[in-house]
Amino acid sequence: MSTGAQKDRASGGRRYRREDVAEAAGVRVRNLRYYQERGLLPPPLREGRIAWYSDDHLTRLRLISDLLGRGYTVNGIAELLAAWEQGGGLSQLLGLEREMTRDWVQEEPVSMTRAELRELFGAAASAEDTRRAAELGYVHVDGDVVTYPSRRLLEATVALVRQGVPLAEILDAGDFLQVQAAALADRFVALFRRHVIGPGGLEPLSATQLDHVREAVTALRPVAGEVVAAEFARAMARRVEAEVAELLRTEQ
Protein backbone atom coordinates (compact mmCIF):
# COMPACT_ATOMS: atom_id res chain seq x y z
CA MET A 1 0.00 0.00 0.00
CA SER A 2 1.15 3.54 -0.66
CA THR A 3 2.98 5.44 2.07
CA GLY A 4 -0.03 7.76 2.25
CA ALA A 5 -2.10 5.10 4.04
CA GLN A 6 -1.47 4.63 7.74
CA LYS A 7 -3.00 3.10 10.84
CA ASP A 8 -5.61 5.18 12.64
CA ARG A 9 -4.74 4.81 16.33
CA ALA A 10 -8.20 5.86 17.47
CA SER A 11 -10.29 3.43 15.44
CA GLY A 12 -7.75 0.70 14.78
CA GLY A 13 -8.50 0.92 11.05
CA ARG A 14 -6.52 2.47 8.26
CA ARG A 15 -6.80 6.01 7.05
CA TYR A 16 -5.94 7.14 3.56
CA ARG A 17 -4.98 10.28 1.74
CA ARG A 18 -7.23 11.20 -1.18
CA GLU A 19 -5.01 9.62 -3.85
CA ASP A 20 -4.57 6.41 -1.87
CA VAL A 21 -8.24 5.73 -1.16
CA ALA A 22 -9.06 6.44 -4.81
CA GLU A 23 -6.37 4.00 -5.97
CA ALA A 24 -7.50 1.32 -3.50
CA ALA A 25 -11.12 1.68 -4.63
CA GLY A 26 -10.24 1.81 -8.32
CA VAL A 27 -11.85 5.21 -8.91
CA ARG A 28 -10.58 8.56 -10.10
CA VAL A 29 -9.60 11.16 -7.55
CA ARG A 30 -12.05 13.70 -8.94
CA ASN A 31 -14.89 11.24 -8.31
CA LEU A 32 -14.45 11.62 -4.54
CA ARG A 33 -15.56 15.24 -4.56
CA TYR A 34 -18.39 14.44 -6.96
CA TYR A 35 -19.68 11.61 -4.75
CA GLN A 36 -19.49 13.89 -1.71
CA GLU A 37 -21.43 16.63 -3.51
CA ARG A 38 -24.11 14.11 -4.48
CA GLY A 39 -24.40 12.79 -0.92
CA LEU A 40 -23.00 9.35 -1.70
CA LEU A 41 -19.81 9.71 0.33
CA PRO A 42 -19.39 11.32 3.77
CA PRO A 43 -16.74 14.06 3.97
CA PRO A 44 -13.26 13.05 5.10
CA LEU A 45 -11.71 13.93 8.44
CA ARG A 46 -9.50 16.97 8.06
CA GLU A 47 -6.27 17.58 9.92
CA GLY A 48 -4.97 20.93 8.78
CA ARG A 49 -4.73 20.77 4.99
CA ILE A 50 -4.81 16.96 4.86
CA ALA A 51 -8.07 15.11 4.19
CA TRP A 52 -8.09 11.61 5.70
CA TYR A 53 -10.39 8.86 4.44
CA SER A 54 -11.19 5.71 6.44
CA ASP A 55 -11.86 2.05 5.72
CA ASP A 56 -15.58 2.95 5.77
CA HIS A 57 -14.99 5.42 2.94
CA LEU A 58 -13.13 2.76 0.98
CA THR A 59 -15.90 0.23 1.52
CA ARG A 60 -18.58 2.68 0.44
CA LEU A 61 -16.58 3.63 -2.67
CA ARG A 62 -16.36 -0.03 -3.64
CA LEU A 63 -20.09 -0.41 -3.07
CA ILE A 64 -20.79 2.63 -5.27
CA SER A 65 -18.56 1.23 -8.02
CA ASP A 66 -20.33 -2.12 -7.81
CA LEU A 67 -23.76 -0.50 -8.10
CA LEU A 68 -22.63 1.65 -11.02
CA GLY A 69 -21.32 -1.47 -12.71
CA ARG A 70 -24.71 -3.10 -12.28
CA GLY A 71 -26.44 -0.26 -14.13
CA TYR A 72 -27.59 1.99 -11.28
CA THR A 73 -27.51 5.74 -11.87
CA VAL A 74 -25.93 8.10 -9.37
CA ASN A 75 -29.40 9.30 -8.33
CA GLY A 76 -30.55 5.71 -7.95
CA ILE A 77 -27.56 4.89 -5.75
CA ALA A 78 -28.22 7.95 -3.60
CA GLU A 79 -31.83 6.85 -3.08
CA LEU A 80 -30.76 3.28 -2.36
CA LEU A 81 -28.14 4.36 0.20
CA ALA A 82 -30.65 6.72 1.84
CA ALA A 83 -33.22 3.92 2.10
CA TRP A 84 -30.65 1.59 3.66
CA GLU A 85 -29.57 4.31 6.10
CA GLN A 86 -33.15 5.03 7.15
CA GLY A 87 -33.81 1.33 7.62
CA GLY A 88 -30.68 0.90 9.69
CA GLY A 89 -29.22 -1.62 7.26
CA LEU A 90 -26.41 0.40 5.69
CA SER A 91 -23.92 -0.21 8.50
CA GLN A 92 -24.65 -3.94 8.29
CA LEU A 93 -24.26 -3.82 4.51
CA LEU A 94 -20.91 -2.06 4.71
CA GLY A 95 -19.79 -4.40 7.45
CA LEU A 96 -20.85 -7.33 5.29
CA GLU A 97 -18.75 -6.04 2.38
CA ARG A 98 -15.71 -5.83 4.65
CA GLU A 99 -16.38 -9.29 6.07
CA MET A 100 -16.90 -10.88 2.66
CA THR A 101 -13.73 -9.47 1.10
CA ARG A 102 -11.17 -9.53 3.91
CA ASP A 103 -8.72 -12.25 4.96
CA TRP A 104 -9.10 -14.52 1.92
CA VAL A 105 -5.44 -14.01 1.05
CA GLN A 106 -2.95 -14.01 3.90
CA GLU A 107 0.45 -14.08 2.28
CA GLU A 108 3.88 -12.69 3.04
CA PRO A 109 5.47 -11.03 0.00
CA VAL A 110 9.16 -11.50 -0.79
CA SER A 111 11.20 -8.96 -2.78
CA MET A 112 14.63 -9.44 -4.31
CA THR A 113 16.83 -8.03 -7.03
CA ARG A 114 17.14 -9.68 -10.41
CA ALA A 115 20.66 -10.79 -9.41
CA GLU A 116 19.28 -12.47 -6.28
CA LEU A 117 16.59 -14.13 -8.40
CA ARG A 118 19.23 -15.57 -10.73
CA GLU A 119 21.22 -16.76 -7.73
CA LEU A 120 18.13 -18.42 -6.24
CA PHE A 121 17.08 -20.30 -9.38
CA GLY A 122 20.36 -20.50 -11.23
CA ALA A 123 20.19 -21.54 -14.84
CA ALA A 124 16.68 -22.95 -14.30
CA ALA A 125 15.05 -19.53 -14.71
CA SER A 126 15.00 -17.73 -18.06
CA ALA A 127 13.78 -14.27 -18.97
CA GLU A 128 10.80 -15.94 -20.65
CA ASP A 129 9.97 -17.79 -17.42
CA THR A 130 10.04 -14.50 -15.49
CA ARG A 131 7.82 -12.83 -18.08
CA ARG A 132 5.29 -15.66 -17.94
CA ALA A 133 5.38 -15.76 -14.12
CA ALA A 134 4.52 -12.05 -14.16
CA GLU A 135 1.62 -12.68 -16.55
CA LEU A 136 0.26 -15.32 -14.17
CA GLY A 137 0.60 -12.96 -11.20
CA TYR A 138 3.27 -15.00 -9.42
CA VAL A 139 5.78 -12.13 -9.56
CA HIS A 140 5.71 -8.37 -9.97
CA VAL A 141 8.69 -6.78 -11.69
CA ASP A 142 9.53 -3.13 -11.05
CA GLY A 143 12.83 -2.22 -12.64
CA ASP A 144 15.50 -4.30 -10.92
CA VAL A 145 13.19 -5.44 -8.11
CA VAL A 146 11.19 -8.67 -8.37
CA THR A 147 8.44 -9.26 -5.79
CA TYR A 148 6.73 -12.57 -5.09
CA PRO A 149 3.32 -11.86 -3.49
CA SER A 150 3.36 -15.30 -1.82
CA ARG A 151 6.35 -16.65 0.12
CA ARG A 152 4.65 -20.07 0.24
CA LEU A 153 4.38 -20.29 -3.54
CA LEU A 154 7.97 -19.10 -3.94
CA GLU A 155 9.25 -21.75 -1.53
CA ALA A 156 7.20 -24.46 -3.27
CA THR A 157 8.58 -23.39 -6.66
CA VAL A 158 12.18 -23.42 -5.40
CA ALA A 159 11.68 -26.89 -3.87
CA LEU A 160 10.35 -28.29 -7.16
CA VAL A 161 13.15 -26.71 -9.20
CA ARG A 162 15.77 -28.16 -6.86
CA GLN A 163 14.24 -31.59 -7.42
CA GLY A 164 14.80 -31.18 -11.15
CA VAL A 165 11.37 -30.05 -12.33
CA PRO A 166 11.74 -27.46 -15.15
CA LEU A 167 10.41 -24.04 -14.21
CA ALA A 168 8.46 -23.82 -17.47
CA GLU A 169 6.51 -26.97 -16.54
CA ILE A 170 5.89 -25.63 -13.03
CA LEU A 171 4.35 -22.55 -14.63
CA ASP A 172 2.24 -24.78 -16.89
CA ALA A 173 0.94 -26.52 -13.77
CA GLY A 174 0.33 -23.16 -12.10
CA ASP A 175 -1.64 -21.94 -15.11
CA PHE A 176 -3.78 -25.09 -15.02
CA LEU A 177 -4.24 -24.76 -11.25
CA GLN A 178 -5.40 -21.16 -11.54
CA VAL A 179 -8.11 -22.17 -14.02
CA GLN A 180 -9.29 -25.01 -11.77
CA ALA A 181 -9.17 -22.81 -8.66
CA ALA A 182 -11.27 -20.15 -10.42
CA ALA A 183 -13.85 -22.80 -11.32
CA LEU A 184 -13.96 -23.99 -7.71
CA ALA A 185 -14.33 -20.43 -6.45
CA ASP A 186 -17.21 -19.87 -8.90
CA ARG A 187 -18.92 -23.01 -7.61
CA PHE A 188 -18.59 -22.05 -3.93
CA VAL A 189 -19.73 -18.47 -4.54
CA ALA A 190 -22.73 -19.69 -6.55
CA LEU A 191 -23.74 -22.04 -3.72
CA PHE A 192 -23.45 -19.22 -1.18
CA ARG A 193 -25.31 -16.76 -3.39
CA ARG A 194 -28.16 -19.20 -4.04
CA HIS A 195 -28.64 -20.73 -0.60
CA VAL A 196 -27.43 -18.11 1.91
CA ILE A 197 -28.11 -14.73 0.28
CA GLY A 198 -31.06 -15.78 -1.85
CA PRO A 199 -32.22 -14.98 -5.39
CA GLY A 200 -33.15 -11.37 -4.59
CA GLY A 201 -29.60 -10.33 -3.69
CA LEU A 202 -28.77 -8.00 -0.81
CA GLU A 203 -31.19 -5.18 -1.55
CA PRO A 204 -34.38 -6.67 -0.02
CA LEU A 205 -32.61 -8.02 3.07
CA SER A 206 -33.26 -6.48 6.46
CA ALA A 207 -30.52 -5.49 8.91
CA THR A 208 -31.07 -8.76 10.79
CA GLN A 209 -30.79 -10.78 7.60
CA LEU A 210 -27.61 -8.94 6.61
CA ASP A 211 -26.15 -9.83 10.00
CA HIS A 212 -27.03 -13.47 9.32
CA VAL A 213 -25.22 -13.35 5.97
CA ARG A 214 -22.18 -11.76 7.63
CA GLU A 215 -22.09 -14.49 10.27
CA ALA A 216 -22.40 -17.12 7.55
CA VAL A 217 -19.42 -15.63 5.70
CA THR A 218 -17.35 -15.73 8.88
CA ALA A 219 -18.29 -19.36 9.50
CA LEU A 220 -17.86 -20.56 5.92
CA ARG A 221 -14.65 -18.71 4.96
CA PRO A 222 -12.30 -21.42 6.30
CA VAL A 223 -14.53 -24.23 5.04
CA ALA A 224 -13.78 -23.66 1.35
CA GLY A 225 -10.04 -23.96 1.83
CA GLU A 226 -10.36 -26.98 4.11
CA VAL A 227 -12.60 -28.82 1.64
CA VAL A 228 -10.23 -28.19 -1.26
CA ALA A 229 -7.17 -29.21 0.80
CA ALA A 230 -8.87 -32.39 2.04
CA GLU A 231 -10.08 -33.46 -1.41
CA PHE A 232 -6.69 -32.73 -2.98
CA ALA A 233 -4.96 -34.81 -0.30
CA ARG A 234 -7.36 -37.70 -0.94
CA ALA A 235 -6.83 -37.43 -4.70
CA MET A 236 -3.03 -37.35 -4.27
CA ALA A 237 -3.13 -40.41 -2.01
CA ARG A 238 -5.12 -42.37 -4.60
CA ARG A 239 -2.94 -41.20 -7.49
CA VAL A 240 0.37 -41.89 -5.74
CA GLU A 241 -0.82 -45.31 -4.62
CA ALA A 242 -1.75 -46.17 -8.21
CA GLU A 243 1.58 -44.85 -9.50
CA VAL A 244 3.57 -46.88 -6.97
CA ALA A 245 1.63 -50.01 -7.90
CA GLU A 246 2.36 -49.37 -11.56
CA LEU A 247 6.08 -48.88 -10.87
CA LEU A 248 6.23 -52.11 -8.88
CA ARG A 249 4.59 -54.04 -11.73
CA THR A 250 7.06 -52.52 -14.17
CA GLU A 251 10.02 -53.66 -12.08
CA GLN A 252 8.86 -57.29 -11.98
Side-chain angles (χ1 to χ4, degrees):
M1 181 172 291
S2 166
T3 55
Q6 55 182 248
K7 200 74 172 179
D8 187 337
R9 296 178 181 177
S11 66
R14 287 191 177 275
R15 60 181 192 170
Y16 310 79
R17 292 177 185 268
R18 180 180 291 107
E19 295 77 9
D20 297 296
V21 75
E23 179 182 357
V27 302
R28 296 180 179 180
V29 173
R30 66 170 180 262
N31 288 355
L32 301 184
R33 183 182 298 276
Y34 176 69
Y35 292 156
Q36 288 168 215
E37 292 174 349
R38 300 303 297 269
L40 304 183
L41 190 70
L45 174 67
R46 291 195 172 274
E47 291 183 357
R49 300 180 64 181
I50 301 177
W52 290 108
Y53 293 82
S54 67
D55 280 334
D56 285 340
H57 286 101
L58 176 57
T59 299
R60 189 182 283 230
L61 282 169
R62 288 172 173 166
L63 175 61
I64 292 169
S65 294
D66 176 67
L67 293 172
L68 287 171
R70 291 162 55 189
Y72 283 84
T73 64
V74 170
N75 288 337
I77 294 173
E79 293 174 0
L80 190 60
L81 291 176
W84 274 330
E85 286 176 333
Q86 292 172 6
L90 183 60
S91 60
Q92 285 87 349
L93 181 66
L94 299 182
L96 174 62
E97 195 275 349
R98 288 193 296 270
E99 190 65 40
M100 291 180 74
T101 56
R102 72 176 182 87
D103 294 343
W104 284 102
V105 178
Q106 296 180 334
E107 295 287 359
E108 178 187 355
V110 180
S111 295
M112 64 188 74
T113 64
R114 288 179 180 269
E116 291 170 330
L117 179 68
R118 288 192 294 271
E119 182 179 349
L120 182 63
F121 285 101
S126 66
E128 173 61 21
D129 291 330
T130 302
R131 183 196 64 76
R132 189 174 178 210
E135 286 182 352
L136 292 170
Y138 291 129
V139 299
H140 301 305
V141 181
D142 184 9
D144 190 51
V145 178
V146 179
T147 299
Y148 282 79
S150 170
R151 178 180 291 275
R152 290 186 299 173
L153 289 178
L154 171 61
E155 292 174 348
T157 302
V158 172
L160 288 169
V161 167
R162 289 177 177 173
Q163 294 302 317
V165 181
L167 186 54
E169 294 191 30
I170 296 173
L171 292 172
D172 286 340
D175 192 358
F176 172 80
L177 182 59
Q178 286 188 7
V179 173
Q180 303 305 311
L184 283 170
D186 288 344
R187 178 64 62 89
F188 276 110
V189 168
L191 288 172
F192 190 89
R193 176 70 180 270
R194 183 162 61 251
H195 297 290
V196 178
I197 296 177
L202 296 176
E203 295 166 29
L205 299 184
S206 66
T208 300
Q209 290 170 319
L210 288 172
D211 277 337
H212 169 71
V213 173
R214 181 183 55 78
E215 291 168 1
V217 172
T218 302
L220 295 177
R221 179 184 290 110
V223 172
E226 291 170 1
V227 168
V228 172
E231 285 297 338
F232 182 70
R234 282 156 47 89
M236 282 294 294
R238 292 192 297 267
R239 185 65 185 87
V240 170
E241 182 179 349
E243 187 69 15
V244 170
E246 179 63 24
L247 289 170
L248 291 175
R249 283 195 296 271
T250 303
E251 292 298 321
Q252 292 178 356

